[in-house]
């Protein structure tokens, strides 16, 4: 996809001490997920491999491709997966009339699916009340994706927890978020499929007798799993976002649909971060106050119980945000065109390289800051020509 031009700064970066475990958090977003692959490429070339990957939907798929392969094979497997996802032009004059081609490709995907990913479910069109079964109730089947992942992901490596893998899914009966974690249980292809089972397009996936849908309908940005981990660790978190939480006022129906999706799937990340910053600040205050007590007081059961609410960890959150491409609209998450995949991959690669060059987590910090947010520069190049 994107070729390295100069690995010297990356090599030097790999030799530096990072401020904790490296966590890669990957949102759901369908075709937008090629941006995540570009992010991983830049990290890989810098010699930075994640210790923990947390993903939802397409983020879970990319995460499994990384966790389920040896470091030297991960990039190639990502490239192979996204090559298989490419939806080739359906009209020979695509270059002359790009908007017409976009529309044709959209309808081709809706009507025919994508080889290696999903195919239409004819039973879903018999009628809305036709009983087709919970495991098959969706407009498409994802058996092709299951076959693709089984060919590209070694789940025995996933379950070695190097790196640790966590994928989010929504429990259908209780509407509760469930994080399946390789640290506590064996993960298989069904867990990845469950994390990406977005209704009503895809049917729910049954795991241990219970049905699960795409975790994105509850929390599409699963950074919360890091903040609430037990025990917490100092972390450098690369939070990769495909949906823009901020935007202008939409003027057309197409812009409304596009903005609505961005708001829905960006998962209120800004407010989440603010709350975590406040909570971690209080935890660090508790830790500092406890340290000022006399030793005899600190050893009492009452003080130990109170001090347990403190936490000295520090988490750096580097937020990487996919750009909006030309002619992008509300169908962007099913834009599996070769050019769309290539442009987003390149953007993720360039954005991450620039962040790694800046190393924003280095320098003087507020001693009470437990969560520090680092935003990417808005002037970064958006995509390859």
């Amino acid at each position: 996809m994107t070729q390295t031009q100069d690995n010297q700064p990356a090599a030097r970066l790999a030799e530096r001490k990072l401020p904790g475990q490296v966590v890669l958090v990957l949102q759901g977003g369908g075709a937008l997920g090629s941006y995540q692959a570009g992010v991983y490429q830049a990290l890989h070339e810098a010699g930075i491999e994640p210790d923990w990957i947390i993903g939802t939907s397409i983020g879970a798929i990319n995460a499994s491709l990384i966790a389920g392969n040896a470091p030297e094979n991960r990039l190639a497997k990502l490239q192979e997966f996204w090559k298989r996802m490419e939806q080739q032009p359906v009209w020979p004059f695509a270059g002359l009339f790009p908007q017409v081609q976009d529309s044709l490709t959209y309808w081709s995907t809706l009507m025919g699916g994508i080889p290696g990913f999903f195919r239409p479910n004819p039973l879903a069109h018999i009628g809305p009340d036709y009983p087709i079964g919970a495991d098959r109730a969706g407009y498409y089947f994802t058996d092709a994706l299951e076959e693709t992942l089984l060919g590209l992901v070694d789940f025995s490596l996933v379950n070695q927890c190097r790196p640790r893998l966590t994928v989010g899914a929504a429990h259908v009966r209780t509407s509760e978020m469930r994080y399946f974690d390789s640290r506590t249980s064996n993960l298989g292809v069904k867990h990845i499929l469950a994390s990406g089972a977005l209704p009503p397009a895809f049917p729910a996936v049954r795991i241990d007798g219970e049905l699960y849908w795409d975790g994105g309908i509850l929390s599409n940005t699963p950074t919360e799993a890091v903040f609430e981990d037990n025990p917490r660790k100092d972390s450098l978190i690369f939070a990769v976002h495909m949906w823009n939480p901020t935007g202008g006022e939409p003027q057309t129906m197409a812009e409304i649909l596009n903005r609505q999706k961005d708001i829905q799937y960006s998962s209120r990340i800004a407010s989440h971060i603010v709350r975590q910053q406040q909570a971690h600040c209080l935890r660090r205050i508790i830790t500092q106050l406890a340290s000022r007590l006399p030793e005899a007081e600190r050893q009492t059961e009452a003080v130990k119980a109170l001090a347990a609410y403190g936490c000295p960890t520090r988490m750096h959150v580097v937020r990487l945000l996919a750009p909006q491409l030309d002619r992008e609209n509300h169908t962007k998450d099913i834009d599996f065109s070769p050019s769309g995949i290539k442009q987003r991959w390149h953007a993720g690669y360039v954005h991450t390289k620039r962040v790694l060059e800046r190393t924003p987590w280095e320098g003087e910090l507020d001693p009470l800051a437990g969560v520090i947010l680092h935003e990417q520069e808005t002037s970064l190049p958006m995509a390859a020509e």
Side-chain angles (χ1 to χ4, degrees):
M1 290 288 182
T2 296
Q3 299 299 319
T4 307
Q5 311 213 338
D6 180 8
N7 276 337
Q8 300 257 341
R12 289 196 293 272
L13 177 63
E15 297 170 359
R16 295 185 185 180
K17 181 175 176 59
L18 299 175
Q21 66 174 346
V22 176
V23 185
L24 188 56
V25 178
L26 306 176
Q27 268 191 346
L32 308 180
S34 59
Y35 179 84
Q36 299 170 344
V39 170
Y40 174 74
Q41 180 180 356
L43 293 173
H44 177 77
E45 291 180 359
I48 300 174
E49 295 294 338
D51 301 296
W52 185 9
I53 315 176
I54 307 168
T56 297
S57 199
I58 193 66
I61 292 172
N62 280 331
S64 72
L65 290 163
I66 298 169
N69 285 284
E72 63 272 18
N73 298 326
R74 291 170 179 169
L75 188 56
K77 294 298 184 182
L78 282 169
Q79 290 170 333
E80 183 175 349
F81 173 82
W82 283 100
K83 187 66 177 176
R84 293 190 192 185
M85 295 302 105
E86 288 182 359
Q87 187 78 316
Q88 297 301 323
V90 296
W91 194 42
F93 304 104
L96 298 176
F97 304 95
Q99 290 182 319
V100 175
Q101 175 58 33
D102 289 346
S103 180
L104 289 173
T105 301
Y106 169 71
W107 286 108
S108 173
T109 301
L110 286 187
M111 300 299 292
I114 294 178
F117 195 166
F118 59 89
R119 61 184 176 87
N121 174 11
L123 297 176
H125 301 282
I126 295 177
D129 298 321
Y130 184 76
I132 57 180
D135 302 84
R136 297 190 295 172
Y139 288 117
Y140 304 93
F141 289 129
T142 55
D143 50 337
L145 176 60
E146 180 173 0
E147 184 178 345
T148 296
L149 291 177
L150 288 174
L152 296 177
V153 177
D154 183 344
F155 284 94
S156 67
L157 286 180
V158 168
N159 292 307
Q160 291 178 17
C161 286
R162 296 193 300 268
R164 176 183 173 187
L165 175 63
T166 302
V167 298
H171 192 278
V172 173
R173 285 194 308 105
T174 65
S175 71
E176 294 179 347
M177 191 70 174
R178 171 76 184 274
Y179 286 109
F180 295 102
D181 194 328
S182 64
R183 189 177 69 175
T184 57
S185 59
N186 283 336
L187 301 189
V189 68
K190 294 296 185 185
H191 297 90
I192 310 304
L193 295 175
S195 184
L198 182 64
F202 303 145
V205 176
R206 196 175 297 278
I207 298 174
D208 296 330
E210 297 290 340
L211 287 174
Y212 293 91
W213 273 328
D214 190 310
I217 64 176
L218 289 176
S219 179
N220 200 41
T221 310
T223 316
E224 63 200 41
V226 189
F227 295 137
E228 302 304 328
D229 194 32
N230 186 20
R232 296 185 191 89
K233 296 181 179 179
D234 289 339
S235 302
L236 174 57
I237 305 165
F238 293 94
V240 188
H241 295 214
M242 281 93 72
W243 305 95
N244 201 324
T246 61
E249 296 181 355
Q251 303 296 320
T252 67
M253 291 305 299
E255 290 175 357
I256 287 172
L257 292 171
N258 190 32
R259 188 73 198 118
Q260 179 265 333
K261 270 193 174 181
D262 275 337
I263 292 172
Q264 178 180 357
Y265 291 118
S266 62
S267 295
R268 304 180 302 281
I269 185 61
S271 61
H272 287 176
I273 290 291
V274 169
R275 286 198 298 273
Q276 289 297 333
Q277 287 174 323
Q278 293 168 343
H280 277 68
C281 179
L282 291 174
R283 290 184 179 116
R284 293 179 74 86
I285 289 172
I286 291 170
T287 299
Q288 290 200 20
L289 288 174
S291 70
R292 293 172 181 269
L293 293 174
E295 178 66 22
E297 286 289 326
R298 289 203 303 270
Q299 296 307 314
T300 64
E301 292 303 317
V303 171
K304 283 183 180 180
L306 293 172
Y309 287 95
C311 182
T313 58
R314 175 166 284 147
M315 300 184 184
H316 292 267
V317 181
V318 178
R319 187 169 76 157
L320 295 156
L321 180 61
Q324 181 165 316
L325 306 183
D326 292 340
R327 304 193 318 276
E328 188 172 273
N329 57 36
H330 67 283
T331 68
K332 58 190 174 184
D333 51 332
I334 58 171
D335 172 23
F336 287 93
S337 65
S339 62
I341 290 174
K342 180 180 179 180
Q343 288 181 79
R344 291 189 176 94
W345 185 306
H346 177 77
Y349 178 76
V350 172
H351 288 175
T352 307
K353 284 198 70 172
R354 293 290 179 85
V355 167
L356 295 179
E357 288 168 2
R358 290 193 297 115
T359 59
W361 51 86
E362 296 181 346
E364 294 295 323
L365 298 169
D366 181 344
L368 295 182
V371 174
I372 303 99
L373 177 63
H374 307 285
E375 300 276 18
Q376 73 189 43
E377 295 175 352
T378 57
S379 60
L380 292 177
M382 290 174 59
E385 294 295 331

